[in-house]
Amino acid sequence: MNTFFLTKRLNYLVIVLVSFGFLSCESTYQDEEKQVITQQIESEFYPNENVTDGPYIFVEDSIVIVKWIEQKMLFEVSIFDKDYSIIKDKFGFDLDTTNLFSNKGFAVDYNQCFNDIDNFIAVSDMHGQYNLSLELLKKYGVVDNQNNWSFGSGHLVVNGDIFDRGDKATEILWLVYKLKNQAEASGGKVHYLIGNHELMVLNKDLRYINEKYEVTEKMMAISYDQLFSEQTVIGEWLRTSPIILTINDVLFVHAGISPEFVENKFTQQGVNFMFQNRIIGAEDEVIKNDPLLNFLAGRNGPVWYRGYFRDSTFTEQKLDKILDYFDKERIVVGHTSFDSIVSLFGGKILGIDASIKKGKYGELLIFEKGKLYRGTLNSGKIELK
Ligand code: ZN
């Protein structure tokens, strides 16, 4: 029998028996196989506005704890018996249980090189703008009308910065999480690169979180970064995300590869390793006191650099050195915002942060049949020359 037990860690006001969406004790008893006990938690903080947020899924020993806020109320379910159907039924995605209790005991691929890929689409800097991002992904066939993966064996690159600014970061995170699993099942892939805002949240710099998440913090009595700790499903996933990825002859990185990066002879594999094992989750002091970590996490590092667009001393010659170093033809970056996708140095640099963060307009980068396109919101595909 599928039973979800009460947790006793917090006081509760009301116990509601929920039979998958129907707030009715009667239907619960009629269908014992689907009995679920959801707790409404007494929160120290009661919000004025109508907040809905979550789920946040925590893994403790062999228990999965799901918390969410619905209509100003905080709910919690503890799952002891590995039946995660409540998550599928209530939130619309399956939990990837492969590494759920591994505590990072699995092999991580730091290399992140993919070749002979026929189709890819890249999006960057969604910054909590779920509706607009979804509209773009639907328009270009990455997801269908039920928000499921419809891009077959294509690759979707999320080039960093899902977090901060907007108020629907949680929705985007779970959408991308779901798509990642669905893509794998149909021979495709979803890559989620770490941007400076992922790094900021994971390293407790919470300056840019939307005020809605301050309500979540207060209601759950937890700081925002701890909602993405190693003990959470999203947090563990983020700690396996790359910084640099290559597909065919294209290098993807959130902000850019600076000339100093190449002078320091960092490698793709080495940097992916360093971020995952030494930078994400590290104390500021530890990073500041190590010159290499300080460089990688700093303004000329891969998640903050803006030189292609803002440094007048940056030249095509410098760029060619970088491309030769990686043996690639072009670099795709987000981070520096424009009104559309921009192409510099004859397409060797593509800046794909088309300001989705403003919630009004955005573009996707599309690669198909050997050609690159701007996928615009209203005017279809425009080839990038
Ligand atoms: Zn950024």
Side-chain angles (χ1 to χ4, degrees), residues 125 127 160-161 165 195-197 254-255 303-304 306 334-336 353:
D125 295 75
H127 282 303
D161 282 8
R165 304 189 198 281
N196 58 308
H197 285 271
H254 176 64
V303 299
W304 282 100
R306 293 186 198 273
H335 187 58
T336 306
D353 174 1

Side-chain angles (χ1 to χ4, degrees), residues 53-59 64-65 67 87 93-96 99-100 104 106 162-163 169-181 192 194 198 201-202 224-241 280:
D53 186 28
Y56 294 94
I57 304 182
F58 301 82
V59 182
V64 168
I65 299 163
K67 294 186 184 185
I87 292 168
F93 64 88
D94 279 319
L95 212 51
D96 177 5
N99 304 308
L100 210 50
K104 251 198 142 186
F106 55 94
I162 288 177
F163 282 99
T170 316
E171 287 83 345
I172 302 178
L173 287 165
W174 287 120
L175 173 70
V176 175
Y177 179 87
K178 175 178 80 172
L179 295 178
K180 170 184 74 105
N181 296 329
Y192 176 16
I194 296 286
E198 278 74 23
V201 167
L202 295 173
Y224 190 65
D225 59 286
Q226 288 304 302
L227 295 169
F228 304 97
S229 74
E230 270 186 290
Q231 276 66 53
T232 65
V233 171
I234 297 275
E236 192 178 38
W237 170 40
L238 280 169
R239 284 165 176 78
T240 66
S241 285
I280 291 172

